[in-house]
Amino acid sequence: MPSDTLRVERRETARRTIKLLVLNPNTTAAMTQSIAACARSVAQPGTQIVGRNPETGPASIEGADDHARCLQPMLAEIARGERDGCDATIIACFDDPGLVAARRLAAGPVIGIAQAAMQGAAIVAARFGVVTTVDPAVPVIEDLVVRYGATHSCVAVRAAGVPVLSLEHATPAIYTRVRDCAERMLLDDGADAIVLGCAGMSALGPRLARDLAVPIIDGVAIAVKTAEGLVALGLRTSKRADYAAPHPTQLTTDAARIP
């Protein structure tokens, strides 16, 4: 049974404002604003959503090279969020870039939207498919499927052929590509639910749910609810073993710079 002290701490946490950093690892501010709006739409009263993106790095993340370029500025923003009193961090990119490094850096929980979405999808459906943006994103997500133990429940990862930045102002043609790609996984691959494989797709979720009549799992939304729950329970990132705080190391600047 929980101790009286733990019960009091949880009640106090539940009453106070929860401050969540929703971090878009690319530099496109308009996408950050859209992602933050989706996060606010599902957050409970009293949760403060802090939407941020780095000032330097790739404008979009569409493959392993962009993934590498975004890491250092992203980690700097996570450290800044911790200093500003954020209780938890959401990495709002479906590649879950730098997730282990971020958890080593942060005291509060760090949620990757791919991990949150796949684990949520496995609860509400026996089989799910992931609809993502462009072909280079597919192998990155397939690696995550293996890492998160979802190989038996994820039946397909497919690209809709829509660049990430085109989702900022999704035209009817863009929506149709995403919908048709998702529908193929329902009909051809036996999926029972669809995971949105890009944070920029969050705004399409409600319409897709109506049109396809299956659960549509948005990683941003489920990450917000996961973060709220972890913070309310007083859970923080373990600092033993894998997520132990990093040791200071000497860094040679301007070396091996990625063009």
Side-chain angles (χ1 to χ4, degrees), residues 90-97 99 103 111-122 128 130 140-145 147-148 150 195-199 217-220 222-223:
I90 294 166
I91 299 177
C93 170
F94 207 82
D95 288 3
D96 283 359
L99 186 57
R103 286 173 175 165
I111 297 98
I113 65 170
Q115 185 176 30
M118 290 184 200
Q119 292 176 347
F128 65 85
V130 179
V140 176
I141 296 172
E142 288 177 334
D143 286 346
L144 293 179
V145 169
R147 183 187 307 173
Y148 298 146
V195 170
L196 301 179
C198 176
I217 296 89
D218 168 28
V220 173
I222 202 165

Side-chain angles (χ1 to χ4, degrees), residues 26 45 50-51 88 104 108 111-112 118 170 178 210 224:
N26 74 42
V50 179
R104 292 189 67 196
I111 297 98
M118 290 184 200
V178 174
R210 292 192 300 270
V224 168

Side-chain angles (χ1 to χ4, degrees), residues 36-257:
C38 290
R40 293 187 183 102
S41 73
V42 299
Q44 65 188 17
T47 294
Q48 179 185 356
I49 300 295
V50 179
R52 288 179 179 164
N53 57 264
E55 293 184 1
T56 61
S60 63
I61 298 173
E62 298 182 325
D65 52 341
D66 295 324
H67 182 145
R69 287 183 173 92
C70 81
L71 293 180
Q72 185 174 342
M74 183 195 79
L75 293 173
E77 286 295 332
I78 292 173
R80 175 189 168 201
E82 290 261 309
R83 292 193 301 270
D84 290 348
C86 292
D87 297 295
T89 298
I90 294 166
I91 299 177
C93 170
F94 207 82
D95 288 3
D96 283 359
L99 186 57
V100 171
R103 286 173 175 165
R104 292 189 67 196
L105 182 67
V110 181
I111 297 98
I113 65 170
Q115 185 176 30
M118 290 184 200
Q119 292 176 347
I123 293 172
V124 300
R127 294 167 298 278
F128 65 85
V130 179
V131 55
T132 188
T133 51
V134 293
D135 288 336
V138 171
V140 176
I141 296 172
E142 288 177 334
D143 286 346
L144 293 179
V145 169
V146 175
R147 183 187 307 173
Y148 298 146
T151 52
H152 294 295
S153 50
C154 180
V155 295
V157 178
R158 294 196 182 195
V162 295
V164 170
L165 296 184
S166 72
L167 295 166
E168 285 184 62
H169 305 286
T171 63
I174 292 293
Y175 174 79
T176 298
R177 286 187 188 180
V178 174
R179 183 202 62 203
D180 289 352
C181 182
E183 190 171 38
R184 284 197 302 273
M185 288 187 283
L186 300 177
L187 298 176
D188 299 342
D189 301 306
D192 303 318
I194 297 297
V195 170
L196 301 179
C198 176
M201 292 180 178
S202 293
L204 306 182
R207 184 177 174 189
L208 288 168
R210 292 192 300 270
D211 288 352
L212 299 177
V214 296
I216 303 295
I217 296 89
D218 168 28
V220 173
I222 202 165
V224 168
K225 306 313 290 183
T226 301
E228 288 176 334
L230 292 171
V231 172
L233 290 171
L235 294 174
R236 294 166 72 78
T237 302
S238 172
K239 291 304 164 187
R240 287 176 59 87
D242 289 9
Y243 298 152
H247 296 291
T249 56
Q250 185 175 359
L251 177 66
T252 302
T253 60
D254 295 328
R257 178 175 292 175

